[in-house]
Amino acid sequence: PVRLPPNAAPVFLRMKSPAPRGEMLKQGEAVGGEVNADLKVVPGADGTLSAELLNLTGRTQSGTLKTGPGKQLAFSIPPNQSFPLPLKTEGKAEFGTMYRFSDDLSLSLKNGSRLDKHWTMHYFYVPRVSGTPDWKKIPAIPLSNRFCAKGISFRGEGDLKGVFRAAWSENALHLRVEVEDDVLQGDPKRFQLAGFDRDLYYFDGCLEVYFDCGANAIGSRIRGYDDDDYRYDFAPGNPRMESGPGLVHRRVAAHMQLAGGLDMPTAEEAAKKIRCQFTRTRNGYRYALVSPQRYLEPFQLKPGAQAGFCPFLHDKDSLADKTGGKGVTITSEAGKPADHNPHLWPRMILK
C-alpha cells in the first residue's frame, strides 16, 4: 500500500494515466485516527433505538460495535453510506414521557481505527393535531432540572414548578408551558429602557425555547451553537405582568442559507408572527405559543422529524438579583442551563 503522510501543504501527483489513480484514491482511508467512521444513536418513532454507523471513506468498512454492557455487534458498511445497528428492538413511544438513554459505545474497524463515544440522550414524542390542540388530551412533561446561579438557591419545592405540553400541526409547532410560582416579580422601569424587547431574559418569568434543527449536537465534537440552532425568548407583554399578548425575540438564528436564503424571515417578522399568549393563573401563569413552519426552518414539520428542543424558564424573586437568577429546564445534565449547551437538549420526535 502507498502511504501519504498528513501535510499542511498540497500534494501533487503526476501520472500518465490518471483514471486508475483516481480509483485508487477513492479507496484510500485515514489511518490511526477517528476519521474513517462515525456513529450516532437515533430513536425511532416506534420507541426503538438504533446506532447509525457512518462510513466516511470510499471503501467498504467492517468491524464491531461494542456497547457498555459488553454486547458486540458486527457490521459492514458500503462506501460513503450509513448502516443501522439495533440497540433496542422493543420500546414505548408514549406522549408525556421523557425517555433516557446513556451508554458507552466503542466502534472498532478492521484497519485498526477505533472510535469511543459516551452517548447521553433524553428524548420525547410529540403528537400531531388538526388545528388548535386540545391541551387536556396531551400529557405534560415536567421541567424537572433546576439551575441556580452562584449565590442563588431555590426556596423550597413551592418556589417554582413548571410543565410543558407540545403538539404539531401541518403548518405550526404548538407549545404550552404551565407554571406555579410563588412570586412573579414585575419590572415596570425596564419597559422604559431602549431595546428592552431584545433583552427579555432580564424579566422574571422569561421563557427561553431552543431548537437544534439538525438534531446533530448530541455526540458532536463541537460545543455551543452551530448553523441550524435557534433560541427564542418570550416574556409578559406589559409592565404589570397581566394577561395578554406576550413579547417575542429571536436571540439566536440558523444560518440564512439553511432557512430560506434571502427570504429568511427577520427577527422583527418573527416577533410579530410567532403567537405568544401570556395568561396569569391562580398560582402562577402559563404561555401558549404557536410557531409557524417558516420560523423553524430548516426543521420540517412532518412525521418522524427530529430536532433538539429545550425550554428554560427564568425565576427572579427580587429585582436586586443581577446574577442570572435561577430556573427550571429539561437539560440532560443536572444543574446545567440550556444556553450554549445544545448537546444537553433532549430530542423531540414528531409522531
Side-chain angles (χ1 to χ4, degrees):
V2 176
R3 291 177 178 262
L4 296 176
N7 197 320
V11 176
F12 297 94
L13 300 177
R14 300 180 62 182
M15 53 197 70
K16 294 182 178 179
S17 180
R21 302 299 185 269
E23 289 299 318
M24 179 190 71
L25 291 175
K26 286 183 180 180
Q27 295 294 318
E29 60 182 352
V31 177
E34 297 180 354
V35 292
N36 294 325
D38 201 356
L39 70 88
K40 57 184 177 179
V41 178
V42 181
D46 57 355
T48 58
L49 280 173
S50 298
E52 184 176 332
L53 311 184
L54 309 174
N55 186 350
L56 305 179
T57 72
R59 61 186 299 176
T60 299
Q61 295 283 3
S62 60
T64 58
L65 175 68
K66 183 179 179 181
T67 65
K71 186 177 181 180
Q72 294 200 33
L73 305 170
F75 63 83
S76 180
I77 318 174
N80 300 307
Q81 294 188 31
S82 62
F83 183 81
L85 280 177
L87 297 177
K88 186 173 72 170
T89 56
E90 294 182 1
K92 296 182 178 180
E94 298 177 346
F95 302 128
T97 298
M98 184 67 74
Y99 295 95
R100 291 167 170 81
F101 173 84
S102 183
D103 200 0
D104 292 307
L105 303 172
S106 180
L107 185 151
S108 299
L109 301 178
K110 285 192 174 180
N111 67 0
S113 296
R114 176 171 166 168
L115 173 65
D116 295 319
K117 275 192 176 183
H118 177 78
W119 196 278
T120 295
M121 176 178 64
H122 294 182
Y123 57 101
F124 66 98
Y125 295 89
V126 180
R128 184 174 186 174
V129 297
S130 178
T132 302
D134 183 350
W135 292 114
K136 294 180 180 178
K137 296 182 178 180
I138 298 175
I141 296 177
L143 300 170
S144 57
N145 195 2
R146 287 181 159 190
F147 163 79
C148 293
K150 187 176 181 179
I152 300 295
S153 61
F154 280 90
R155 302 179 302 172
E157 289 296 322
D159 192 355
L160 182 70
K161 294 181 180 179
V163 300
F164 76 95
R165 307 173 197 265
W168 70 283
S169 57
E170 182 179 358
N171 298 312
L173 182 71
H174 307 261
L175 180 65
R176 178 177 166 120
V177 179
E178 303 162 6
V179 184
E180 296 180 21
D181 191 358
D182 61 345
V183 176
L184 183 58
Q185 180 68 59
D187 192 357
K189 291 184 179 180
R190 180 158 290 280
F191 274 82
Q192 302 173 12
L193 300 178
F196 79 93
D197 53 351
R198 296 192 298 273
D199 294 329
L200 302 182
Y201 55 89
Y202 282 109
F203 288 107
D204 185 19
C206 171
L207 174 67
E208 303 168 358
V209 181
Y210 298 83
F211 298 93
D212 170 20
C213 298
N216 52 20
I218 300 177
S220 173
R221 296 177 176 86
I222 300 173
R223 290 291 183 257
Y225 298 123
D226 66 11
D227 288 341
D228 58 29
D229 293 340
Y230 284 100
R231 170 182 164 179
Y232 284 102
D233 289 0
F234 305 88
N238 58 81
R240 296 184 179 180
M241 312 289 270
E242 296 175 342
S243 298
L247 299 171
V248 181
H249 177 61
R250 189 180 71 194
R251 192 161 187 85
V252 175
H255 193 284
M256 64 181 299
Q257 295 299 332
L258 301 176
L262 295 177
D263 191 43
M264 180 183 181
T266 62
E268 291 75 18
E269 178 187 332
K272 293 178 181 179
K273 298 297 184 179
I274 295 177
R275 283 183 281 167
C276 173
Q277 181 66 30
F278 177 81
T279 304
R280 293 295 297 268
T281 61
R282 180 179 58 84
N283 57 355
Y285 55 92
R286 68 172 177 263
Y287 285 97
L289 312 176
V290 182
S291 178
Q293 165 77 70
R294 174 170 166 79
Y295 307 103
L296 298 174
E297 293 182 358
F299 183 62
Q300 298 293 309
L301 294 167
K302 60 183 180 181
Q306 301 188 15
F309 170 86
C310 194
F312 180 94
L313 184 68
H314 283 266
D315 185 36
K316 288 188 176 183
D317 297 323
S318 169
L319 294 182
D321 176 15
K322 305 298 183 182
T323 66
K326 57 186 185 295
V328 290
T329 184
I330 56 172
T331 49
S332 60
E333 184 175 340
K336 292 293 186 180
D339 190 24
H340 289 280
N341 287 318
H343 63 291
L344 303 180
W345 304 345
R347 186 78 58 87
M348 172 179 69
I349 306 161
L350 305 188
K351 290 274 280 182

